[in-house]
Amino acid sequence: MSILTVRAISKTYGSRFGAAARRALDKASLDIEEREFVAILGPSGSGKSTLLNMIALLDSPDSGEILFRGENPRSGGDLATFRRKHIGFVFQDSNLIDTMTVRENILLPLALDKTPAIEARARVAELASALGIADILDAYPVETSGGQRQRASAARALVLGPSLLLADEPTGALDSRSARDLLERFRALNEERGSAILMVTHDSFAASWSDRAVFLRDGRPLTTVNRTADRKEFLERILAAQAAADEALR
Ligand code: ADP
């Protein structure tokens, strides 16, 4: 069964300050299977953030539906609790709390979830080791590098074992070496722990770590490129699809 089903969702933002109404999503559909790593690519304004906000349950579509393992989280129960248990988030800027150490930041979701202290400490240690941040757990975010902050942010997002990790331009503010390191760790975590990942990016290189690159244009998926064993070849096919999609716009 799909972990996530996005079925024909549309969203139009109302006119503001005399501007015309904008259709951000136009009957967009997308399925993500358990353990899949999907990259959403698209130019600015193609609807990527709107789609991510809908999937994150931060906003609701005008029509269509979003199902998690076949169920609509809006049909009952508390959305905030559902979100905390099932969805992890990583943003372009790490969003760590500056007055807390890296360890305290990662412990926060566990505290909200009332996880016993011994188990919480063990989970933080395990994830910190998988993400290569064990040596900075007692540092404050300002004392760490951008790449370390993103890895800490990923640890915080994954510490409750969500079935889906949503990442919005996670490598957008990183240098290429830190970006590559984060993507390699995403890939390994996805393979070893089985959280599905949905990553929004405008970067073909970042997308080449996924299983499937979906191109968004004018508020709906236009083309999909599936991974092959060789990542470089996958990257070339992503770049070719990108060029073809750009050409179609002219
Ligand atoms: P992307 O993330 O791919 O850049 P967005 O989802 O942010 O695309 O935007 C899609 C379209 O919807 C754009 O035309 C944008 O101007 C419009 N839009 C997004 N958010 C709002 C909003 N809160 N109010 C009005 N228009 C919006």
Side-chain angles (χ1 to χ4, degrees), residues 51-112:
L51 179 64
L52 212 64
N53 283 343
M54 303 285 159
I55 294 171
L57 307 171
L58 297 171
D59 197 357
S60 46
D62 301 331
S63 58
E65 58 181 2
I66 296 176
L67 307 173
F68 287 82
R69 295 202 173 106
E71 308 223 353
N72 185 347
R74 292 181 190 280
S75 64
D78 171 30
L79 268 192
T81 306
F82 180 91
R83 203 182 291 130
R84 185 151 48 80
K85 285 191 184 301
H86 298 282
I87 311 175
F89 302 91
V90 181
F91 303 95
Q92 175 164 352
D93 298 309
S94 64
N95 282 342
L96 296 174
I97 298 168
D98 289 338
T99 52
M100 289 182 159
T101 63
V102 168
R103 185 195 308 279
E104 288 163 350
N105 267 283
I106 303 171
L107 280 168
L108 201 58
L110 293 162
L112 292 173

Side-chain angles (χ1 to χ4, degrees), residues 13-14 16 22-24 42-51:
Y13 290 105
R16 285 190 308 186
R22 269 301 300 211
R23 186 179 295 174
S44 182
S46 57
K48 303 185 297 297
S49 306
T50 305
L51 179 64

Side-chain angles (χ1 to χ4, degrees), residues 99-228:
T99 52
M100 289 182 159
T101 63
V102 168
R103 185 195 308 279
E104 288 163 350
N105 267 283
I106 303 171
L107 280 168
L108 201 58
L110 293 162
L112 292 173
D113 201 50
K114 300 190 171 57
T115 306
I118 295 177
E119 190 191 332
R121 276 204 162 289
R123 279 211 233 165
V124 172
E126 191 226 324
L127 262 177
S129 145
L131 284 157
I133 48 169
D135 55 338
I136 55 146
L137 283 176
D138 295 311
Y140 285 90
V142 289
E143 299 167 328
T144 64
S145 71
Q148 288 171 326
R149 282 198 291 280
Q150 278 309 61
R151 285 182 273 139
S153 173
R156 184 181 58 182
L158 289 164
V159 77
L160 289 180
S163 32
L164 179 64
L165 177 71
L166 298 178
D168 192 359
E169 297 277 7
T171 58
L174 300 183
D175 62 78
S176 59
R177 193 159 150 260
S178 306
R180 190 184 180 107
D181 182 65
L182 185 71
L183 292 161
E184 277 171 358
R185 289 180 197 272
F186 269 11
R187 177 91 230 155
L189 284 167
N190 171 249
E191 280 166 8
E192 288 155 20
R193 308 171 78 91
S195 292
I197 302 177
L198 179 65
M199 174 175 74
V200 161
T201 182
H202 63 265
D203 180 5
S204 304
F205 178 77
S208 72
W209 261 269
S210 71
D211 294 315
R212 180 153 62 103
V214 176
F215 286 82
L216 213 61
R217 276 291 186 285
D218 300 329
R220 67 161 78 139
L222 178 74
T223 331
T224 296
V225 183
N226 289 306
R227 177 190 168 86
T228 39

